[in-house]
Amino acid sequence: MERKRFTLDDYNKKESFKDATKFFIVYEGEDKEPKYFGTFNNLFFEPKKASILHVFEKDTNVVGSQPKKLIERAKSFIENPPKDLPVTPSAEDKFRFVLDVDQHPPEEYPELKAYCESLVDANLFISNYCFEIWLLFHLDERENIQCTTSKESKTELGEKHTTSKIKNYPKGYLTPDLILKAIERAEKADINKDSYFPAVKSTKVYLLMKELLRYSLINKEVIEPQAP
């Protein structure tokens, strides 16, 4: 399938967003996650049908990566949206929170989950240890992932990225085959499917990706993996 590549200008036209399904993603970080989802946005979304918009610290001046800070950031973003946005967000839009386990106070995760439930359409997607776990699933099976900390996850991803010969990040990771393989692996690794909180060396980001795929030009779903 030949896919059109969209430029930043496509995402700055208000008319492109008028009837589009909008995903406002609130990030813990402002590097890997926005690059990954922004690239997915550019490659696989038609702007008039769906779009991903980022919620950054700079948009609200709410600084910090703790779950409680993400709540404050989302509230500020809804109540006082940046003037340069192509659309005006509201509490009825789709808000998706992407964050890591890190060293955040454990009691703040239920607070963020409760905040998501207070909105019309919001959800929380946590990676344990960090977002790199989701990226590692693009490259390898869970049983071959050796890291035991967030720092080790980043090192292992760097090593496996080099070995994989993928030319760049994140664009090289965003092919239909790699995305679907990552979802399949992450779903198998998710032994806490009834909980929003992921097991060690697992991530709930695959659930967000399955949702995004339904709106994308790929428009595929991953078949439930067979139990071993």
Side-chain angles (χ1 to χ4, degrees):
M1 177 180 66
E2 185 177 351
R3 291 187 290 270
K4 177 183 176 182
R5 297 298 188 264
F6 298 102
T7 67
L8 287 176
D9 288 339
D10 290 304
Y11 292 92
N12 289 331
K13 295 176 182 177
K14 292 184 179 181
E15 58 270 21
S16 295
F17 291 99
K18 183 177 181 182
D19 299 314
T21 299
K22 297 174 287 295
F23 291 89
F24 290 94
I25 301 186
V26 186
Y27 303 101
E28 176 185 17
E30 298 198 359
D31 183 23
K32 298 175 298 293
E33 297 93 327
K35 285 180 181 176
Y36 181 90
F37 288 104
T39 302
F40 181 93
N41 194 37
N42 291 338
L43 290 177
F44 298 122
F45 274 168
E46 183 178 345
K48 291 183 179 180
K49 293 184 179 179
S51 61
I52 294 171
L53 297 102
H54 313 298
V55 181
F56 292 136
E57 284 184 349
K58 65 181 178 60
D59 295 324
T60 61
N61 293 320
V62 175
V63 178
S65 61
Q66 306 96 315
K68 187 172 289 187
K69 289 296 183 182
L70 298 191
I71 296 173
E72 294 176 16
R73 192 173 303 145
K75 287 181 176 178
S76 175
F77 187 81
I78 293 169
E79 294 168 5
N80 299 290
K83 292 184 172 51
D84 60 348
L85 280 181
V87 291
T88 301
S90 73
E92 287 74 36
D93 283 316
K94 295 180 182 294
F95 281 85
R96 303 292 182 259
F97 293 77
V98 176
L99 70 159
D100 307 337
V101 170
D102 284 341
Q103 302 299 316
H104 301 317
E107 67 274 8
E108 289 191 13
Y109 292 98
E111 290 179 29
L112 178 53
K113 180 62 175 175
Y115 176 68
C116 289
E117 292 171 352
S118 74
L119 297 175
V120 174
D121 190 344
N123 212 337
L124 169 61
F125 303 94
I126 304 173
S127 288
N128 188 1
Y129 318 100
C130 55
F131 190 70
E132 278 77 8
I133 292 293
W134 166 246
L135 299 177
L136 280 165
F137 282 131
H138 292 64
L139 306 177
D140 213 338
E141 303 288 341
R142 183 186 187 276
E143 54 266 30
N144 297 327
I145 296 174
Q146 302 300 315
C147 54
T148 59
T149 65
S150 176
K151 182 178 179 180
E152 289 178 5
S153 302
K154 296 174 174 64
T155 299
E156 185 169 352
L157 177 65
E159 293 171 351
K160 290 187 173 179
H161 175 84
T162 301
T163 303
S164 73
K165 306 260 197 262
I166 293 176
K167 290 186 178 178
N168 59 54
Y169 165 81
K171 187 175 181 179
Y173 286 62
L174 287 159
T175 68
D177 288 345
L178 286 178
I179 293 170
L180 295 174
K181 181 56 71 174
I183 291 173
E184 182 181 353
R185 289 167 174 159
E187 193 157 23
K188 287 170 63 178
D190 184 11
I191 59 174
N192 291 342
K193 286 187 172 62
D194 294 333
S195 172
Y196 69 89
F197 203 87
V200 172
K201 283 199 290 191
S202 72
T203 175
K204 298 291 184 175
V205 169
Y206 78 92
L207 295 170
L208 174 57
M209 293 305 297
K210 289 182 77 170
E211 180 182 20
L212 295 176
L213 286 181
R214 291 198 293 271
Y215 294 85
S216 76
L217 296 173
I218 306 174
N219 196 26
K220 289 184 180 179
E221 297 241 12
V222 174
I223 299 174
E224 290 290 333
Q226 297 295 317

